Amino acid sequence: MSKLPDFEALAIFAKVVELRSFAAAATELALSKATVSKAVSRLEDRLGARLFNRTSRRLALTDAGQKLSERAARLLADGEAAENEALAQSVTPRGLVRLAVPMTFGVTSVAPLLPEFLEKYPEVSIDLHLSDATVDLIGEGFDAGLRIARLPDSSLIARRLCAMPRYTVAAPSYLKRYGRPTHPMHLAGHKCFGYAYLSTAGAWHYTNAAGEQASVRPAGQLRVNNGEALLPAVLAGLGIADLPDFIIGEAIARGDVEVILKGWKQPEGAVHLVTPPGGPRPARVEVLTEFLAKHFARGRKR
């Protein structure tokens, strides 16, 4: 005997018992009568006992069939209930969504949206995981994640939500003291701050209008695993940083820092929502995806 019970045969047997007819069970299950009959025969062979006494006009349970029928009926009911519950969750937004988001972006740009979402979908719960580290969505059981970078090739399903430019910046006091770099290669002679989870492995890449490319690996006194942690040192005029708009945009607008290397552009970054590969996403994940996409399409609020 194999380790797993023959669940299909047990469910078919339960349906035959319920309807007292092989033909009626076949009709309700959308199976051929031969398939139903073979399933019951397969179960009888497996158990080594007849389950029905059959004549052309009458169908009656044997003692073995009577003893099995109650458990088989319960198995069928539990299976139908589990399937209906799963179907309801795939159609109606309901249940828990585990969402992984970079720390600062999650606090400043995602968390403020959640009250509106939770009020709109009261049967959906959010488990918001904040970390700048790239989490393993599949291995750690996440339903979705936000990634702010150029995405590497992977099996994950990605949806672009909005652009996210990066800027190389320094405080006016730093530029007054150490001078203004005008070419990326000049950064080698400056104090630059690093970010541990940079998708380009510590290198800053630039291209100018003429198509010239430059890549540098700047070094300095400070390296962090959260971009926002660089702000105090940058604002104090201690070095140069390369940061995304959601961290540095307001400081640029206030004039607290200045964008340098304006003739050079970095590869365009974007906010992507990524989900594991597979079949259709549950409704709870789908509505969160559409909610975030709609918001960021209108323009991200700092």
Side-chain angles (χ1 to χ4, degrees), residues 4-36:
L4 283 176
D6 190 339
F7 292 110
E8 181 185 45
L10 285 165
I12 291 174
F13 165 71
K15 186 60 69 173
V16 173
V17 173
E18 176 189 337
L19 300 176
R20 296 290 174 173
S21 167
F22 278 69
T27 299
E28 181 158 328
L29 296 174
L31 299 172
S32 69
K33 187 177 177 181
T35 298
V36 171

mmCIF file of all heavy atoms in Angstrom, residues 4-36:
data_model
loop_
_atom_site.group_PDB
_atom_site.id
_atom_site.type_symbol
_atom_site.label_atom_id
_atom_site.label_comp_id
_atom_site.label_asym_id
_atom_site.label_seq_id
_atom_site.Cartn_x
_atom_site.Cartn_y
_atom_site.Cartn_z
ATOM 1 N N LEU A 4 0.207 7.453 0.754
ATOM 2 C CA LEU A 4 -0.941 8.366 0.714
ATOM 3 C C LEU A 4 -2.232 7.604 0.429
ATOM 4 O O LEU A 4 -2.258 6.723 -0.436
ATOM 5 C CB LEU A 4 -0.738 9.435 -0.362
ATOM 6 C CG LEU A 4 0.219 10.574 -0.036
ATOM 7 C CD1 LEU A 4 0.360 11.483 -1.248
ATOM 8 C CD2 LEU A 4 -0.254 11.373 1.167
ATOM 9 N N PRO A 5 -3.317 7.937 1.122
ATOM 10 C CA PRO A 5 -4.616 7.335 0.804
ATOM 11 C C PRO A 5 -5.057 7.739 -0.604
ATOM 12 O O PRO A 5 -4.595 8.744 -1.150
ATOM 13 C CB PRO A 5 -5.548 7.925 1.870
ATOM 14 C CG PRO A 5 -4.654 8.429 2.949
ATOM 15 C CD PRO A 5 -3.388 8.850 2.280
ATOM 16 N N ASP A 6 -5.937 6.978 -1.157
ATOM 17 C CA ASP A 6 -6.500 7.298 -2.472
ATOM 18 C C ASP A 6 -7.662 8.256 -2.246
ATOM 19 O O ASP A 6 -8.825 7.868 -2.205
ATOM 20 C CB ASP A 6 -6.972 6.012 -3.157
ATOM 21 C CG ASP A 6 -7.336 6.248 -4.620
ATOM 22 O OD1 ASP A 6 -7.599 7.406 -4.988
ATOM 23 O OD2 ASP A 6 -7.369 5.271 -5.386
ATOM 24 N N PHE A 7 -7.324 9.549 -2.080
ATOM 25 C CA PHE A 7 -8.336 10.547 -1.729
ATOM 26 C C PHE A 7 -9.413 10.669 -2.802
ATOM 27 O O PHE A 7 -10.588 10.869 -2.491
ATOM 28 C CB PHE A 7 -7.672 11.911 -1.492
ATOM 29 C CG PHE A 7 -6.803 11.961 -0.272
ATOM 30 C CD1 PHE A 7 -5.430 12.053 -0.379
ATOM 31 C CD2 PHE A 7 -7.361 11.899 0.994
ATOM 32 C CE1 PHE A 7 -4.622 12.095 0.743
ATOM 33 C CE2 PHE A 7 -6.564 11.949 2.129
ATOM 34 C CZ PHE A 7 -5.190 12.046 2.003
ATOM 35 N N GLU A 8 -9.003 10.597 -4.063
ATOM 36 C CA GLU A 8 -9.984 10.726 -5.137
ATOM 37 C C GLU A 8 -11.020 9.609 -5.061
ATOM 38 O O GLU A 8 -12.228 9.851 -5.138
ATOM 39 C CB GLU A 8 -9.287 10.699 -6.496
ATOM 40 C CG GLU A 8 -10.260 10.849 -7.668
ATOM 41 C CD GLU A 8 -9.587 10.692 -9.009
ATOM 42 O OE1 GLU A 8 -8.789 9.747 -9.149
ATOM 43 O OE2 GLU A 8 -9.873 11.505 -9.902
ATOM 44 N N ALA A 9 -10.556 8.381 -4.883
ATOM 45 C CA ALA A 9 -11.482 7.251 -4.810
ATOM 46 C C ALA A 9 -12.379 7.361 -3.584
ATOM 47 O O ALA A 9 -13.579 7.056 -3.647
ATOM 48 C CB ALA A 9 -10.703 5.937 -4.783
ATOM 49 N N LEU A 10 -11.835 7.797 -2.457
ATOM 50 C CA LEU A 10 -12.638 7.966 -1.242
ATOM 51 C C LEU A 10 -13.724 9.024 -1.449
ATOM 52 O O LEU A 10 -14.864 8.855 -1.014
ATOM 53 C CB LEU A 10 -11.737 8.347 -0.070
ATOM 54 C CG LEU A 10 -10.892 7.211 0.512
ATOM 55 C CD1 LEU A 10 -9.794 7.772 1.412
ATOM 56 C CD2 LEU A 10 -11.770 6.231 1.283
ATOM 57 N N ALA A 11 -13.367 10.134 -2.127
ATOM 58 C CA ALA A 11 -14.345 11.188 -2.371
ATOM 59 C C ALA A 11 -15.438 10.709 -3.321
ATOM 60 O O ALA A 11 -16.630 11.004 -3.122
ATOM 61 C CB ALA A 11 -13.641 12.418 -2.937
ATOM 62 N N ILE A 12 -15.063 9.983 -4.347
ATOM 63 C CA ILE A 12 -16.052 9.447 -5.291
ATOM 64 C C ILE A 12 -16.961 8.442 -4.588
ATOM 65 O O ILE A 12 -18.193 8.457 -4.768
ATOM 66 C CB ILE A 12 -15.350 8.813 -6.502
ATOM 67 C CG1 ILE A 12 -14.679 9.916 -7.357
ATOM 68 C CG2 ILE A 12 -16.330 8.013 -7.347
ATOM 69 C CD1 ILE A 12 -13.836 9.377 -8.493
ATOM 70 N N PHE A 13 -16.370 7.592 -3.761
ATOM 71 C CA PHE A 13 -17.164 6.632 -2.992
ATOM 72 C C PHE A 13 -18.177 7.363 -2.106
ATOM 73 O O PHE A 13 -19.358 6.987 -2.045
ATOM 74 C CB PHE A 13 -16.225 5.766 -2.140
ATOM 75 C CG PHE A 13 -16.914 4.991 -1.060
ATOM 76 C CD1 PHE A 13 -17.736 3.907 -1.370
ATOM 77 C CD2 PHE A 13 -16.739 5.329 0.277
ATOM 78 C CE1 PHE A 13 -18.382 3.189 -0.357
ATOM 79 C CE2 PHE A 13 -17.368 4.622 1.277
ATOM 80 C CZ PHE A 13 -18.204 3.543 0.965
ATOM 81 N N ALA A 14 -17.736 8.435 -1.443
ATOM 82 C CA ALA A 14 -18.641 9.191 -0.576
ATOM 83 C C ALA A 14 -19.791 9.796 -1.366
ATOM 84 O O ALA A 14 -20.937 9.841 -0.899
ATOM 85 C CB ALA A 14 -17.863 10.291 0.155
ATOM 86 N N LYS A 15 -19.506 10.249 -2.561
ATOM 87 C CA LYS A 15 -20.562 10.846 -3.393
ATOM 88 C C LYS A 15 -21.554 9.775 -3.864
ATOM 89 O O LYS A 15 -22.766 10.017 -3.915
ATOM 90 C CB LYS A 15 -19.929 11.568 -4.583
ATOM 91 C CG LYS A 15 -20.914 12.342 -5.434
ATOM 92 C CD LYS A 15 -21.645 13.424 -4.627
ATOM 93 C CE LYS A 15 -20.717 14.554 -4.228
ATOM 94 N NZ LYS A 15 -21.504 15.660 -3.584
ATOM 95 N N VAL A 16 -21.065 8.578 -4.172
ATOM 96 C CA VAL A 16 -21.964 7.481 -4.556
ATOM 97 C C VAL A 16 -22.872 7.119 -3.377
ATOM 98 O O VAL A 16 -24.080 6.909 -3.547
ATOM 99 C CB VAL A 16 -21.153 6.255 -5.017
ATOM 100 C CG1 VAL A 16 -22.090 5.063 -5.239
ATOM 101 C CG2 VAL A 16 -20.377 6.565 -6.291
ATOM 102 N N VAL A 17 -22.287 7.065 -2.177
ATOM 103 C CA VAL A 17 -23.089 6.765 -0.986
ATOM 104 C C VAL A 17 -24.139 7.846 -0.764
ATOM 105 O O VAL A 17 -25.309 7.555 -0.469
ATOM 106 C CB VAL A 17 -22.173 6.643 0.250
ATOM 107 C CG1 VAL A 17 -23.018 6.499 1.517
ATOM 108 C CG2 VAL A 17 -21.234 5.454 0.104
ATOM 109 N N GLU A 18 -23.742 9.093 -0.920
ATOM 110 C CA GLU A 18 -24.665 10.212 -0.700
ATOM 111 C C GLU A 18 -25.858 10.150 -1.650
ATOM 112 O O GLU A 18 -27.011 10.361 -1.245
ATOM 113 C CB GLU A 18 -23.912 11.537 -0.881
ATOM 114 C CG GLU A 18 -24.781 12.781 -0.765
ATOM 115 C CD GLU A 18 -24.031 14.048 -1.156
ATOM 116 O OE1 GLU A 18 -22.766 14.045 -1.099
ATOM 117 O OE2 GLU A 18 -24.691 15.025 -1.546
ATOM 118 N N LEU A 19 -25.584 9.848 -2.910
ATOM 119 C CA LEU A 19 -26.638 9.877 -3.926
ATOM 120 C C LEU A 19 -27.248 8.500 -4.189
ATOM 121 O O LEU A 19 -28.226 8.393 -4.944
ATOM 122 C CB LEU A 19 -26.075 10.448 -5.229
ATOM 123 C CG LEU A 19 -25.531 11.878 -5.139
ATOM 124 C CD1 LEU A 19 -24.921 12.312 -6.462
ATOM 125 C CD2 LEU A 19 -26.629 12.856 -4.721
ATOM 126 N N ARG A 20 -26.657 7.463 -3.581
ATOM 127 C CA ARG A 20 -27.151 6.095 -3.752
ATOM 128 C C ARG A 20 -27.227 5.680 -5.210
ATOM 129 O O ARG A 20 -28.114 4.929 -5.618
ATOM 130 C CB ARG A 20 -28.536 5.932 -3.093
ATOM 131 C CG ARG A 20 -28.538 6.110 -1.596
ATOM 132 C CD ARG A 20 -27.828 4.941 -0.925
ATOM 133 N NE ARG A 20 -27.694 5.150 0.515
ATOM 134 C CZ ARG A 20 -27.230 4.235 1.362
ATOM 135 N NH1 ARG A 20 -26.829 3.063 0.888
ATOM 136 N NH2 ARG A 20 -27.110 4.504 2.638
ATOM 137 N N SER A 21 -26.268 6.173 -6.005
ATOM 138 C CA SER A 21 -26.307 5.862 -7.432
ATOM 139 C C SER A 21 -24.956 6.187 -8.065
ATOM 140 O O SER A 21 -24.418 7.281 -7.857
ATOM 141 C CB SER A 21 -27.400 6.665 -8.126
ATOM 142 O OG SER A 21 -27.262 6.606 -9.530
ATOM 143 N N PHE A 22 -24.429 5.227 -8.817
ATOM 144 C CA PHE A 22 -23.213 5.484 -9.568
ATOM 145 C C PHE A 22 -23.466 6.521 -10.661
ATOM 146 O O PHE A 22 -22.651 7.422 -10.885
ATOM 147 C CB PHE A 22 -22.705 4.173 -10.203
ATOM 148 C CG PHE A 22 -21.908 3.320 -9.265
ATOM 149 C CD1 PHE A 22 -22.520 2.681 -8.196
ATOM 150 C CD2 PHE A 22 -20.548 3.168 -9.441
ATOM 151 C CE1 PHE A 22 -21.786 1.882 -7.336
ATOM 152 C CE2 PHE A 22 -19.793 2.371 -8.584
ATOM 153 C CZ PHE A 22 -20.423 1.728 -7.510
ATOM 154 N N ALA A 23 -24.592 6.391 -11.332
ATOM 155 C CA ALA A 23 -24.909 7.306 -12.434
ATOM 156 C C ALA A 23 -25.099 8.723 -11.932
ATOM 157 O O ALA A 23 -24.612 9.687 -12.539
ATOM 158 C CB ALA A 23 -26.157 6.815 -13.167
ATOM 159 N N ALA A 24 -25.812 8.896 -10.814
ATOM 160 C CA ALA A 24 -26.048 10.234 -10.266
ATOM 161 C C ALA A 24 -24.736 10.859 -9.794
ATOM 162 O O ALA A 24 -24.509 12.066 -9.985
ATOM 163 C CB ALA A 24 -27.055 10.161 -9.120
ATOM 164 N N ALA A 25 -23.871 10.040 -9.172
ATOM 165 C CA ALA A 25 -22.579 10.556 -8.736
ATOM 166 C C ALA A 25 -21.744 10.994 -9.932
ATOM 167 O O ALA A 25 -21.085 12.048 -9.901
ATOM 168 C CB ALA A 25 -21.836 9.487 -7.933
ATOM 169 N N ALA A 26 -21.778 10.203 -10.992
ATOM 170 C CA ALA A 26 -21.021 10.564 -12.192
ATOM 171 C C ALA A 26 -21.503 11.880 -12.774
ATOM 172 O O ALA A 26 -20.705 12.732 -13.173
ATOM 173 C CB ALA A 26 -21.152 9.445 -13.228
ATOM 174 N N THR A 27 -22.831 12.083 -12.791
ATOM 175 C CA THR A 27 -23.389 13.322 -13.325
ATOM 176 C C THR A 27 -22.975 14.518 -12.473
ATOM 177 O O THR A 27 -22.547 15.559 -12.999
ATOM 178 C CB THR A 27 -24.926 13.230 -13.384
ATOM 179 O OG1 THR A 27 -25.290 12.157 -14.249
ATOM 180 C CG2 THR A 27 -25.525 14.531 -13.889
ATOM 181 N N GLU A 28 -23.085 14.395 -11.169
ATOM 182 C CA GLU A 28 -22.767 15.529 -10.288
ATOM 183 C C GLU A 28 -21.286 15.865 -10.315
ATOM 184 O O GLU A 28 -20.902 17.030 -10.220
ATOM 185 C CB GLU A 28 -23.207 15.225 -8.858
ATOM 186 C CG GLU A 28 -22.933 16.384 -7.902
ATOM 187 C CD GLU A 28 -23.810 16.340 -6.668
ATOM 188 O OE1 GLU A 28 -24.959 15.863 -6.761
ATOM 189 O OE2 GLU A 28 -23.348 16.783 -5.615
ATOM 190 N N LEU A 29 -20.452 14.847 -10.446
ATOM 191 C CA LEU A 29 -19.001 15.069 -10.454
ATOM 192 C C LEU A 29 -18.455 15.354 -11.846
ATOM 193 O O LEU A 29 -17.255 15.582 -12.005
ATOM 194 C CB LEU A 29 -18.291 13.840 -9.880
ATOM 195 C CG LEU A 29 -18.577 13.518 -8.406
ATOM 196 C CD1 LEU A 29 -17.933 12.188 -8.016
ATOM 197 C CD2 LEU A 29 -18.080 14.633 -7.500
ATOM 198 N N ALA A 30 -19.328 15.345 -12.845
ATOM 199 C CA ALA A 30 -18.921 15.580 -14.239
ATOM 200 C C ALA A 30 -17.874 14.548 -14.676
ATOM 201 O O ALA A 30 -16.873 14.865 -15.326
ATOM 202 C CB ALA A 30 -18.399 16.995 -14.430
ATOM 203 N N LEU A 31 -18.123 13.294 -14.286
ATOM 204 C CA LEU A 31 -17.259 12.195 -14.674
ATOM 205 C C LEU A 31 -18.083 11.162 -15.435
ATOM 206 O O LEU A 31 -19.314 11.160 -15.368
ATOM 207 C CB LEU A 31 -16.642 11.531 -13.432
ATOM 208 C CG LEU A 31 -15.757 12.406 -12.541
ATOM 209 C CD1 LEU A 31 -15.395 11.651 -11.261
ATOM 210 C CD2 LEU A 31 -14.491 12.835 -13.278
ATOM 211 N N SER A 32 -17.394 10.285 -16.133
ATOM 212 C CA SER A 32 -18.118 9.186 -16.777
ATOM 213 C C SER A 32 -18.487 8.147 -15.717
ATOM 214 O O SER A 32 -17.825 8.029 -14.682
ATOM 215 C CB SER A 32 -17.262 8.544 -17.864
ATOM 216 O OG SER A 32 -16.168 7.853 -17.282
ATOM 217 N N LYS A 33 -19.542 7.399 -16.007
ATOM 218 C CA LYS A 33 -19.947 6.343 -15.077
ATOM 219 C C LYS A 33 -18.842 5.310 -14.928
ATOM 220 O O LYS A 33 -18.621 4.765 -13.827
ATOM 221 C CB LYS A 33 -21.240 5.683 -15.569
ATOM 222 C CG LYS A 33 -21.819 4.682 -14.589
ATOM 223 C CD LYS A 33 -23.140 4.107 -15.093
ATOM 224 C CE LYS A 33 -23.679 3.050 -14.125
ATOM 225 N NZ LYS A 33 -24.964 2.467 -14.616
ATOM 226 N N ALA A 34 -18.106 5.068 -16.012
ATOM 227 C CA ALA A 34 -17.006 4.104 -15.963
ATOM 228 C C ALA A 34 -15.908 4.576 -15.012
ATOM 229 O O ALA A 34 -15.319 3.778 -14.272
ATOM 230 C CB ALA A 34 -16.438 3.898 -17.359
ATOM 231 N N THR A 35 -15.626 5.884 -15.013
ATOM 232 C CA THR A 35 -14.595 6.428 -14.121
ATOM 233 C C THR A 35 -15.006 6.257 -12.668
ATOM 234 O O THR A 35 -14.184 5.899 -11.810
ATOM 235 C CB THR A 35 -14.359 7.916 -14.432
ATOM 236 O OG1 THR A 35 -13.892 8.044 -15.775
ATOM 237 C CG2 THR A 35 -13.338 8.524 -13.487
ATOM 238 N N VAL A 36 -16.282 6.511 -12.379
ATOM 239 C CA VAL A 36 -16.785 6.345 -11.018
ATOM 240 C C VAL A 36 -16.681 4.887 -10.588
ATOM 241 O O VAL A 36 -16.231 4.558 -9.484
ATOM 242 C CB VAL A 36 -18.232 6.854 -10.915
ATOM 243 C CG1 VAL A 36 -18.843 6.496 -9.563
ATOM 244 C CG2 VAL A 36 -18.274 8.363 -11.134
#
